[in-house]
Amino acid sequence: MDIDTEVYGETMELFLDTLMKRTLDGKQVWDNLGYLPARFMLDDRWEEQEGEVSNLFCMETSFKGREYSLKLSESIELLSMKGNIYGILNREDDGKSYEFALSLDGERYKSASAEELRGIYADSLVVNFADMVVEYFGGFPEVIAAGYKDNAYYCNEFFEGKKVEKKWKKMPVVKLGEKLFQEKRMMDFHKIILDTEYRKKLLEEEL
């Protein structure tokens, strides 16, 4: 990593922290909110097909005369069962963007187990920022309801023209994700991303 990239990353972390604190204080207003509820996804980019359950939050805001758009995704990767939070903040006037994610933390994230992530990243800006986003959306039940209404499927029968193998659909976390989707439990899906104890509790209830 060169020094310009490092300085830019540190600056953007401070900016994310500012947006988060201003939002929690009621000073930062976001609009054009969009919510894509929990869904099952497959990824064929790697040698071994990978699956995940994930959701997506979209929102826009202004700060010091500049417009920004944010996309934040929370996911559970089905081979490792590890939770991840990924975001991208775009500056609309010049197209510059900043990506942030737990999985971008290198070896610390890669070497950790699913159960260890919550403790390791307890004070993480990425986690705290995601908590803020979900809390903010919680104040707009009509946006959440529209997300479920406009995205009425959890798992497609086909992925890129191929029938989805039953092994994916049989996975407990996939079934749990579908249950939370059907019951419109956005907050519970948010909690099971990193809280594996709560995830286990809901899985046991499902069984």
Side-chain angles (χ1 to χ4, degrees), residues 111-175:
S111 62
S113 68
E115 293 75 17
E116 292 172 327
L117 291 177
R118 186 185 181 204
I120 291 173
Y121 293 103
D123 298 320
S124 164
L125 173 61
V126 174
V127 173
N128 292 333
F129 194 87
D131 287 343
M132 177 275 291
V133 168
V134 175
E135 180 180 331
Y136 193 82
F137 269 74
F140 297 88
E142 69 281 5
V143 172
I144 299 170
Y148 283 103
K149 181 180 178 181
D150 296 340
N151 300 277
Y153 74 90
Y154 172 76
C155 176
N156 278 338
E157 285 297 315
F158 292 88
F159 175 76
E160 295 186 351
K162 295 183 290 186
K163 193 170 180 65
V164 173
E165 296 180 35
K166 290 183 178 179
K167 69 174 184 178
W168 295 109
K169 295 183 183 181
K170 291 180 179 179
M171 288 186 173
V173 169
V174 173
K175 292 181 178 180

Side-chain angles (χ1 to χ4, degrees), residues 35 37-39 148-149 151-155 174-186 189 206:
Y35 176 56
R39 75 266 194 217
Y148 283 103
K149 181 180 178 181
N151 300 277
Y153 74 90
Y154 172 76
C155 176
V174 173
K175 292 181 178 180
L176 175 59
E178 184 168 22
K179 176 182 173 66
L180 299 181
F181 169 81
Q182 291 173 343
E183 297 178 358
K184 299 179 174 57
R185 293 162 62 180
M186 180 192 75
F189 186 78
E206 179 68 9

